[in-house]
Amino acid sequence: MELKLVGSKSLFLSNLEVMKSSSFLDTKLRIGLSGTHKLCSCRGLVLKVSRSSASYDAASSVSTENFILDDFSCQINGKSCSGLYLRDVRILDASDDEYGGILINPQTLPSNPNIFASVLHESLSHWKMKGKKGVWLKLPIEKCDLVPIAVKEGFEYHHAERGYLMMTYWLPNDPCMLPSNASHQVGVGGFVINDKNEVLVVQEKHSAPDLSGLWKIPTGFILESEEIFTGVVREVKEETGIDSEFVEVMAFRHAHNVAFEKSDLFFICLLRPLSTRIMVDDLEIQAAKWMPLVKFVEQPLIQADSMFRKVIDICIARLGKRYCGLSVHQLVSTFDGKLSSLYFNTVEDSVSNCQAN
């Protein structure tokens, strides 16, 4: 066996006496017990061990490369003795993130809760000693029985999706710098108007009592990894069967504490219809039709609400070329090399036919 100190110095020891306990998580090596002579006065030193013996079968979900060098003292026949021992530290399989944190591999988590509890505790101590910061633990739904163990260890909920729960742990003693969960939901509304100055409107099957009888524009939420300009076209198609083409974002609303204490961004988009035949989505929509713009504006609920009125004023101004919205331009940034959508105002844009002064 060869023992190597992590760093520039190396320590080579021979004549090792090995004591292995019944638990594979608690293998100990006792080194050089000899009277009052200490081989090292250091405690908690990390060693990396090279050995030719076979690894434990039960350790497939943890890293076995790290050992902690600890010292000990004792009394034998009235004489003082001291020495060193190696504590085998089982670390969860993980990788470093770009912010000095740890990403635990969810695919290799131990299935046994007792093993997970022991290895998780050892891992946190090891990462803290190495100066790591945030720890991200993604628990698949099939391993939900590990959640109470992580909570007991000090992990907090971060967010959840259908198939997993993300938990976090902040190792330093200073304030946590991990980013919070997503704070916003993104909605879209399609203002679709045809050559007859008719607006595509719907009545929803499930709406608040205060909105009963209101004819409104088709609305919905953007899906994960979906663009605003494609999401609004999709929503209009799903609710009414009408094919359309995105023209501009005319305005957006920002509101807070809308659903589950989340904020809401709602983008009102101008769309150009590419078809006329309406096919209603029976699951969500009670009725849909083409409605003259004048009658749409005259609805009591529209007139009584300052937000609705302002949105309609903007739409009418855009139709009269007295207002220009935000058209979409897809660009690649050198910072991340990814294609992104940038929305901005371009006066006298031949594509959007915007000529406002």
Side-chain angles (χ1 to χ4, degrees), residues 186 188 222 226-232 246-250 252 267-269 325-331 340-346:
V186 180
V188 288
I222 294 296
E226 187 177 40
E227 298 282 358
I228 293 171
F229 70 93
T230 56
V232 67
F246 175 85
V247 179
E248 292 172 349
V249 170
M250 292 190 294
F252 69 90
F267 292 85
I268 300 99
C269 304
L326 307 177
S327 55
V328 62
H329 305 265
Q330 293 194 295
L331 306 169
S340 300
S341 297
L342 186 64
Y343 294 80
F344 59 88
N345 180 301
T346 303

Side-chain angles (χ1 to χ4, degrees), residues 267-292:
F267 292 85
I268 300 99
C269 304
L270 177 64
L271 302 180
R272 183 181 298 113
L274 301 178
S275 63
T276 58
R277 185 175 174 226
I278 293 175
M279 292 179 288
V280 172
D281 174 16
D282 293 331
L283 294 177
E284 298 183 71
I285 304 302
Q286 184 68 38
K289 66 179 181 179
W290 292 99
M291 188 177 198

Side-chain angles (χ1 to χ4, degrees), residues 31-34 37-40 70-73 81-85:
I31 305 172
L33 177 61
S34 58
H37 297 288
K38 280 190 177 182
L39 295 180
C40 179
D70 277 333
D71 60 359
F72 66 91
S73 61
C81 61
S82 62
L84 300 174
Y85 73 91

